Amino acid sequence: MIRTLIPAALICLAASACSETTKVSDDLQESQVDVTNPTGRSERVGSNPGERPVRIGEGGPRFDACQAVGRIAGLRSNQLDVRIAPFDSAKSKDSLSEGNLVYICTRSIDQQWFGIVYDNSGQSADNEDGALSADCGVSSPVRSKRNYDGPCKSGWVESTFVKLVAG
């Protein structure tokens, strides 16, 4: 019995050594205070204690930084609050209207919130080709997971009100 367990354990160990590795610091969003971005800018990230930045690049270096596009739909009121964190009690930082298009970059563990990137300067379902009007820098791969740092806006919205368009 032991003779069969040892080779099986060695195979599992070898297979896990070949998997993609990530640094623990990649997932410690709260520990990031001063960040040097690939664009050469330095900024404070997560300066608000309740804020949870939107992460991009979660699909890995072979996929777009944000892997889906969604349209705001099914609102109960005229506006959808964009929040600083994926919680009902989180502070609202902006709002979006019915028909606005957004990049879906991440989601909460319970799948009830999407971390989005958007530019609400006129993007809507009325665009000629239905595409987002701004280049937010998330339509191509990034080398590693990181907090989104612009040029567009980012935040958290309830996933119930985002209908998948592409991705």
Side-chain angles (χ1 to χ4, degrees), residues 22-124:
T22 58
K23 298 176 192 170
V24 172
S25 62
D26 288 345
D27 294 326
L28 295 177
Q29 299 168 4
E30 291 77 20
S31 69
Q32 294 182 349
V33 177
D34 291 316
V35 176
T36 302
N37 298 312
T39 58
R41 300 181 308 197
S42 287
E43 66 180 19
R44 286 187 66 76
V45 176
S47 58
N48 185 337
E51 187 171 5
R52 181 171 172 198
V54 172
R55 303 279 284 172
I56 62 171
E58 291 189 342
R62 295 181 184 200
F63 296 96
D64 289 346
C66 294
Q67 296 181 17
V69 173
R71 176 172 285 124
I72 305 301
L75 298 179
R76 296 181 197 124
S77 63
N78 292 337
Q79 299 290 310
L80 176 63
D81 287 335
V82 178
R83 301 191 182 274
I84 64 170
F87 309 105
D88 286 324
S89 60
K91 181 177 144 186
S92 177
K93 66 192 265 184
D94 201 357
S95 63
L96 294 170
S97 301
E98 184 99 15
N100 281 122
L101 295 171
V102 297
Y103 292 103
I104 302 169
C105 304
T106 188
R107 58 189 72 211
S108 61
I109 293 172
D110 63 5
Q111 308 289 317
Q112 293 186 14
W113 296 89
F114 285 146
I116 62 165
V117 168
Y118 64 100
D119 174 32
N120 62 354
S121 61
Q123 67 179 342
S124 70

